[in-house]
Amino acid sequence: MKQTKQLTVIIEREGDGYVSLCPELDIASQGETVEEAKSNLIEALELFFETANTSEIERRLNNEVFVERVEVKIG
């Protein structure tokens, strides 16, 4: 049985499509829809875990990622 890991996904519109990012590993992908961008990122992450050696995973994996909204003054 394969292990699973919870990771953060940030998706934002860029032009006519969407860009998806996993900040824990600094891996990104894209797609024409939110779901496609997310699916493509999951595929990229799975490929990374299949091919990367343990030391590369440990070096790149940042477990302290905080996603928050802040209020700033403008104008």
Side-chain angles (χ1 to χ4, degrees), residues 8-25:
T8 306
V9 174
I10 299 170
I11 301 172
E12 61 183 339
R13 178 177 281 286
E14 187 172 291
D16 291 337
Y18 294 87
V19 173
S20 52
L21 170 70
C22 173
E24 287 96 338
L25 291 163

Side-chain angles (χ1 to χ4, degrees), residues 27-29 38-49 51:
I27 293 176
S29 192
K38 181 174 141 183
S39 177
N40 289 345
L41 180 60
I42 290 169
E43 183 179 356
L45 291 165
E46 289 175 345
L47 287 170
F48 170 75
F49 282 110
T51 60

Side-chain angles (χ1 to χ4, degrees), residues 16-69:
D16 291 337
Y18 294 87
V19 173
S20 52
L21 170 70
C22 173
E24 287 96 338
L25 291 163
D26 196 27
I27 293 176
S29 192
Q30 61 186 18
E32 292 182 11
T33 66
V34 170
E35 283 304 315
E36 184 179 5
K38 181 174 141 183
S39 177
N40 289 345
L41 180 60
I42 290 169
E43 183 179 356
L45 291 165
E46 289 175 345
L47 287 170
F48 170 75
F49 282 110
E50 286 176 16
T51 60
N53 61 41
T54 305
S55 64
E56 181 177 6
I57 293 170
E58 289 174 1
R59 180 179 57 79
R60 290 186 61 171
L61 188 60
N62 178 3
N63 287 314
E64 288 197 50
V65 172
F66 305 96
V67 178
E68 297 185 32
R69 294 184 67 90

